[in-house]
């Protein structure tokens, strides 16, 4: 299994941008799909976006479509989440998680401590 570490969060005004990074260690990173998830206070963790092992397929939650872009650099064992036009409702702790290219479920045990994103109005 891969282990992931998230970074890049911070405090930004509404309309601003942030780029999150998710760095992997362990198994061959290019064999894993990676997803970004977020959890706001008092809410369930929700799916944000994911990218398949090759980087050729991406999928977004409706709430972020057109504003967020997920990408990966397998040579650097890193997945990025570029977040533009941020809204206060994007405030949450953001986590990345991995799943084998042959699996259907993301493994929460692969996630790190998350990175806090706070968007002020």
């Amino acid at each position: 299994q891969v282990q992931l570490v998230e970074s890049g969060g911070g405090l930004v005004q509404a309309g601003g941008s942030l780029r999150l990074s998710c760095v992997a260690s362990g198994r061959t990173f290019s064999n894993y799909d990676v997803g970004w998830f977020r959890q706001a206070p008092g809410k369930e963790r929700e799916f944000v976006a994911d990218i398949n092992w090759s980087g050729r397929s991406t999928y977004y939650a409706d709430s972020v479509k057109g504003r967020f872009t997920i990408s990966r650099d397998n040579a650097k064992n890193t997945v990025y989440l570029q977040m533009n036009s941020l809204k206060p409702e994007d405030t949450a702790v953001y986590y990345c998680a991995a799943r084998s290219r042959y699996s259907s479920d993301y493994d929460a045990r692969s996630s790190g401590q998350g990175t806090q994103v706070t968007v002020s109005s």
Side-chain angles (χ1 to χ4, degrees), residues 20-39:
L20 306 184
S21 297
C22 171
V23 179
S25 61
R27 296 287 186 93
T28 305
F29 181 60
S30 57
N31 285 336
Y32 289 83
D33 304 334
V34 175
W36 281 100
F37 301 80
R38 65 187 182 187
Q39 188 166 18

Side-chain angles (χ1 to χ4, degrees), residues 17-90:
S17 298
L18 284 172
R19 188 176 81 157
L20 306 184
S21 297
C22 171
V23 179
S25 61
R27 296 287 186 93
T28 305
F29 181 60
S30 57
N31 285 336
Y32 289 83
D33 304 334
V34 175
W36 281 100
F37 301 80
R38 65 187 182 187
Q39 188 166 18
K43 294 188 176 181
E44 297 286 321
R45 187 172 296 194
E46 65 174 359
F47 170 83
V48 176
D50 70 1
I51 187 165
N52 80 329
W53 58 275
S54 69
R56 287 194 285 267
S57 178
T58 59
Y59 187 76
Y60 298 91
D62 287 344
S63 59
V64 306
K65 201 173 294 182
R67 300 188 297 122
F68 291 10
T69 302
I70 190 170
S71 61
R72 69 190 294 160
D73 185 341
N74 284 344
K76 295 182 178 180
N77 283 5
T78 303
V79 169
Y80 304 99
L81 185 68
Q82 177 67 43
M83 306 187 297
N84 299 328
S85 302
L86 283 161
K87 304 175 181 180
E89 51 263 45
D90 294 318

Side-chain angles (χ1 to χ4, degrees), residues 5-20:
V5 177
E6 305 90 346
S7 64
L11 173 63
V12 64
Q13 288 188 329
S17 298
L18 284 172
R19 188 176 81 157
L20 306 184

